[in-house]
Amino acid sequence: MAEEKQNVEVEETAAAQVKEETQPQQDPQEFLENFDWDKYEEGIERVEDSKLKEFETLVEENFVDTADEEVVEGEVVHMTDREAIIDINAKSEGVISLNEFRYNPDLKVGDKVEVLIDIREDKTGQLVLSHRKARTIKAWERVNNAHDKEEIVTGFVKCRTKGGMIVDVFGIEAFLPGSQIDVKPIRDYDQYVGKTMEFKVVKINHEFKNVVVSHKALIEADIEEQKKEIIGQLEKGQVLEGIVKNITSYGVFIDLGGVDGLVHITDLSWSRINHPNEVVELDQKLNVVILDFDDNKSRIQLGLKQLEKHPWDALGDEIKVGDKVKGKVVVIADYGAFIEVAEGVEGLIHVSEMSWSTHLRSAQDFVNVGDEVEAVVLTLDREDRKMSLGIKQLTPDPWTDITSKYPVGSRHKGIVRNFTNFGVFVELEEGIDGLIYISDLSWTKKIKHPSEFVTVGDTLEVEVLELDVDGRKLSLGHKQTTENPWDKYSEEFAEGTIHKAAIAEVVDKGATINFNEDIVGFVPQRHMEKEDGKKLVKGEEAEFKIIEFNKDFKRVVASHTAIFREQEDRNVKAAAKKRAASSDEAAPTLGDANSALQALKDKMEADSKKK
């Protein structure tokens, strides 16, 4: 290359010399005045200023200022199997891989496309362009403008993702939450995949380059307009068509065309239901009546059953008190059961009307929900729509022939059903209960509470003591079924009799002793003293004397001290009697006394004479 350049220069110099030799000679002064020093210094011929301005104008009109990282519009001028040649009116054309146009399979020569100038001129002098980057930059600009101006954008739903959908908006993957797809809950997300829909950009995270869009926001805007129009026309008693929007355990939400109303579970059907889905289903169209709403009509109460005649109004006149009816148990409470005798018409069977038994039990002991039962109408109030029923009336009242079945003095067997502090309730048969007072349970045992003697469910033999037919009361006794042991014990343990026993318990005021399984005696503290002065202790065996026996009050009092004290008294009396007898033998007679007095008189007289 250097040799070729040198040859060119030699040829140019030689040509200049030839030209110079052929030109006529000039005056030196004239030559110097007209000599072009710029041309001489640059080695080129100078271009006129007008020519330069014309050239600059053409460049400005036909070529763009290709700054790096700038997005411009270009034209596809040629296409190969792998690349597209793009003309952006720069000094050179750019090449872009067709992979960047996969979203546009119909790309052809002459199409206008946006490109980003990555590098104005690489090492080889080539212009480097990118359509993908340009599309991303422009997409972010459009998304931001749509968000700021609240414009509606069009997007393509690409696929499902966790919690929502992925939407292509201007080439950017935006997130569509499941809650923002529609105003009603969406159960099948797949139905939206592959669809082109309109959205509103609701959130942009510039840091993470995240975009959130909503289709629901567009629907809500339309619904809000419809809602204002509908609310302005609402009136109580008005019948509207709606669609079941949501079903809960307490009621159903109805979409009235932009306005939601609630049908409470109690307003769905005249009959009792456990859950609203027994009556309605999602997306079902139905007519409802407006029952009430608040001042701003934001809460609308609707009714479904009110569109039908009340079942009580349709209840036939043939049903009257005393009639037998059949129905299904729909609700059970502690106090009774509700029976549906006709659709929407219920009657209450109180637990007291389920059995002739006077001792109340739970209604669940007699019936279960869903049971078909027969009952008798006891009361009927059509105005208040109340009906009371009875089951026990289907069987004869057991008290009708009570006097013949359970006369006073007759003995029977019954089951202990319950007891209180004062006695035990015994059931002789269904509907016939009697009371055994605590004092009539045992002849001998001192019972503080019936639970010490019997338990619920025990079978007892009883005797009828009293019968009150009008008051439906029966007084029973258990101890009367056995012989009163106190009758024979009155002789065996009569006062003064002596018995041998051991101290069972020591208490504050004395001790108790068990003479046998029936007789428990009490020993006062002062009667516990032994002959040696010590007191009897628990478990010590000794003889006791009965000092009190009361059959009526079942009281037996005994004494150990009385055993040896009585002997002492007898010994004292015998000694006194013996002493008395000895004194009688040694006592002077009247003659002996006179003789002594005469002797004393004679002695006194003799002494007087001596003086």
Side-chain angles (χ1 to χ4, degrees):
M1 290 293 290
E3 292 179 357
E4 291 179 359
K5 185 176 182 181
Q6 187 175 5
N7 293 333
V8 171
E9 291 177 353
V10 171
E11 291 176 357
E12 289 179 351
T13 304
Q17 289 177 352
V18 171
K19 184 178 181 180
E20 184 177 351
E21 292 177 354
T22 56
Q23 288 182 353
Q25 295 290 330
Q26 290 183 343
D27 182 46
Q29 184 66 32
E30 182 181 356
F31 174 78
L32 291 174
E33 290 177 357
N34 296 323
F35 186 75
D36 191 345
W37 293 97
D38 291 335
K39 179 179 178 182
Y40 172 77
E41 291 175 355
E42 296 294 333
I44 60 173
E45 186 177 357
R46 182 171 181 173
V47 181
E48 296 180 2
D49 291 341
S50 61
K51 296 287 186 180
L52 290 174
K53 289 182 179 179
E54 182 181 355
F55 178 75
E56 290 174 358
T57 302
L58 290 173
V59 170
E60 289 178 359
E61 291 177 353
N62 293 281
F63 295 97
V64 298
D65 184 10
T66 56
D68 291 350
E69 301 297 325
E70 181 182 359
V71 177
V72 297
E73 187 177 64
E75 180 181 352
V76 179
V77 295
H78 183 69
M79 291 180 63
T80 68
D81 294 339
R82 299 170 59 185
E83 297 171 330
I85 311 301
I86 310 297
D87 180 13
I88 62 170
N89 286 337
K91 292 180 180 180
S92 62
E93 295 169 343
V95 179
I96 299 178
S97 171
L98 289 180
N99 287 334
E100 297 191 24
F101 296 97
R102 282 184 298 180
Y103 75 93
N104 185 8
D106 299 327
L107 184 69
K108 62 184 181 299
V109 174
D111 286 352
K112 301 292 185 181
V113 294
E114 291 175 337
V115 294
L116 173 75
I117 302 174
D118 253 355
I119 302 174
R120 185 160 51 90
E121 188 173 340
D122 63 6
K123 294 180 180 180
T124 62
Q126 180 66 48
L127 177 65
V128 180
L129 305 175
S130 173
H131 175 65
R132 182 184 294 109
K133 292 182 180 179
R135 191 164 178 257
T136 302
I137 292 173
K138 285 297 183 180
W140 272 102
E141 290 179 0
R142 294 173 184 172
V143 166
N144 279 277
N145 288 335
H147 178 260
D148 296 339
K149 297 179 182 179
E150 297 186 353
E151 295 177 347
I152 298 174
V153 298
T154 301
F156 176 76
V157 181
K158 296 177 65 176
C159 61
R160 280 192 60 176
T161 187
K162 184 178 180 180
M165 317 287 289
I166 298 297
V167 180
D168 186 329
V169 179
F170 303 137
I172 295 176
E173 288 190 348
F175 178 60
L176 172 62
S179 60
Q180 296 299 315
I181 298 176
D182 205 335
V183 291
K184 60 183 179 180
I186 302 300
R187 291 176 291 278
D188 182 16
Y189 285 16
D190 292 332
Q191 63 178 313
Y192 294 93
V193 176
K195 287 187 177 181
T196 299
M197 302 169 62
E198 290 184 337
F199 303 98
K200 183 178 180 182
V201 181
V202 293
K203 185 177 180 181
I204 297 178
N205 187 320
H206 294 279
E207 181 179 358
F208 297 102
K209 299 295 183 181
N210 290 337
V211 179
V212 180
V213 296
S214 171
H215 180 67
K216 176 183 176 181
L218 302 179
I219 301 176
E220 287 178 336
D222 294 338
I223 290 177
E224 193 62 30
E225 294 297 325
Q226 299 177 16
K227 186 175 180 180
K228 291 179 181 179
E229 182 179 353
I230 293 174
I231 286 178
Q233 301 174 355
L234 290 181
E235 294 180 1
K236 292 182 182 179
Q238 186 178 10
V239 178
L240 299 174
E241 184 182 63
I243 300 175
V244 177
K245 181 179 180 181
N246 192 19
I247 299 176
T248 66
S249 59
Y250 55 85
V252 178
F253 288 94
I254 306 295
D255 183 359
L256 301 175
V259 181
D260 288 349
L262 173 65
V263 182
H264 194 268
I265 187 171
T266 57
D267 291 317
L268 282 172
S269 172
W270 292 113
S271 301
R272 290 181 185 263
I273 57 175
N274 296 318
H275 197 276
N277 56 21
E278 298 176 15
V279 180
V280 297
E281 57 186 18
L282 284 173
D283 300 328
Q284 178 183 351
K285 285 186 178 182
L286 44 79
N287 290 330
V288 289
V289 60
I290 298 177
L291 302 180
D292 201 359
F293 45 74
D294 56 6
D295 295 337
N296 57 6
K297 298 181 181 179
S298 61
R299 293 185 178 182
I300 305 172
Q301 182 181 347
L302 305 174
L304 181 63
K305 70 180 185 181
Q306 287 79 4
L307 296 175
E308 300 177 357
K309 190 176 181 181
H310 197 288
W312 273 89
D313 298 333
L315 189 65
D317 296 334
E318 64 275 5
I319 296 181
K320 56 186 181 299
V321 175
D323 288 349
K324 294 180 181 179
V325 293
K326 290 183 179 180
K328 183 174 69 174
V329 179
V330 291
V331 175
I332 293 180
D334 290 338
Y335 55 85
F338 288 92
I339 312 299
E340 188 177 51
V341 298
E343 185 176 357
V345 178
E346 296 177 2
L348 171 64
I349 304 179
H350 194 269
V351 67
S352 61
E353 301 299 338
M354 293 183 174
S355 170
W356 289 108
S357 177
T358 56
H359 117 127
L360 298 180
R361 287 173 279 176
S362 172
Q364 294 178 342
D365 295 335
F366 300 96
V367 294
N368 296 311
V369 173
D371 287 353
E372 293 286 343
V373 298
E374 187 177 24
V376 176
V377 178
L378 303 181
T379 63
L380 182 62
D381 188 341
R382 294 180 182 272
E383 292 184 1
D384 292 339
R385 294 169 178 170
K386 292 182 179 180
M387 181 189 303
S388 63
L389 307 173
I391 295 178
K392 70 181 184 181
Q393 288 76 10
L394 297 173
T395 58
D397 185 355
W399 280 84
T400 53
D401 56 350
I402 189 72
T403 54
S404 60
K405 290 199 303 186
Y406 301 100
V408 174
S410 60
R411 294 185 178 181
H412 311 274
K413 286 185 178 181
I415 298 175
V416 177
R417 292 298 185 192
N418 193 15
F419 46 70
T420 64
N421 292 333
F422 55 84
V424 178
F425 287 97
V426 177
E427 185 181 57
L428 300 180
E429 65 173 81
E430 183 74 22
I432 304 295
D433 289 351
L435 173 64
I436 304 175
Y437 283 99
I438 196 170
S439 58
D440 289 320
L441 286 173
S442 174
W443 290 110
T444 57
K445 292 183 180 179
K446 293 183 178 180
I447 302 171
K448 295 180 180 179
H449 192 273
S451 59
E452 300 173 6
F453 187 80
V454 293
T455 58
V456 174
D458 286 352
T459 299
L460 281 183
E461 189 173 357
V462 295
E463 182 177 311
V464 178
L465 304 182
E466 294 182 11
L467 180 61
D468 182 0
V469 179
D470 296 333
R472 301 173 80 91
K473 292 181 181 180
L474 198 60
S475 178
L476 306 174
H478 172 66
K479 70 180 184 181
Q480 288 79 4
T481 60
T482 61
E483 185 181 354
N484 187 354
W486 288 88
D487 293 336
K488 62 178 182 178
Y489 292 149
S490 60
E491 296 180 2
E492 183 180 350
F493 293 92
E495 292 182 8
T497 57
I498 297 174
H499 305 271
K500 195 172 184 179
I503 299 294
E505 293 290 340
V506 177
V507 295
D508 292 340
K509 295 183 179 181
T512 59
I513 52 178
N514 298 322
F515 290 115
N516 58 32
E517 62 179 7
D518 295 327
I519 302 297
V520 178
F522 177 71
V523 182
Q525 208 170 59
R526 66 179 185 274
H527 291 278
M528 294 176 63
E529 185 177 347
K530 297 188 290 185
E531 193 171 0
D532 58 4
K534 296 180 180 180
K535 297 275 188 169
L536 291 171
V537 296
K538 183 177 179 180
E540 188 173 359
E541 194 174 50
E543 289 187 337
F544 296 92
K545 182 180 181 180
I546 305 300
I547 58 176
E548 182 183 350
F549 182 88
N550 191 317
K551 183 178 72 172
D552 297 330
F553 294 99
K554 301 179 180 60
R555 177 179 173 84
V556 178
V557 181
S559 172
H560 171 70
T561 306
I563 299 290
F564 65 84
R565 285 278 173 85
E566 186 177 337
Q567 186 62 41
E568 288 180 356
D569 290 344
R570 285 198 297 268
N571 293 339
V572 168
K573 289 180 179 179
K577 187 176 181 180
K578 186 176 182 180
R579 285 194 300 271
S582 299
S583 298
D584 290 342
E585 292 178 357
T589 60
L590 183 58
D592 295 336
N594 290 333
S595 299
L597 290 174
Q598 187 61 44
L600 179 58
K601 182 178 178 183
D602 292 341
K603 184 179 180 183
M604 291 176 64
E605 288 179 351
D607 290 339
S608 176
K609 289 179 178 181
K610 289 179 180 182
K611 295 178 179 180

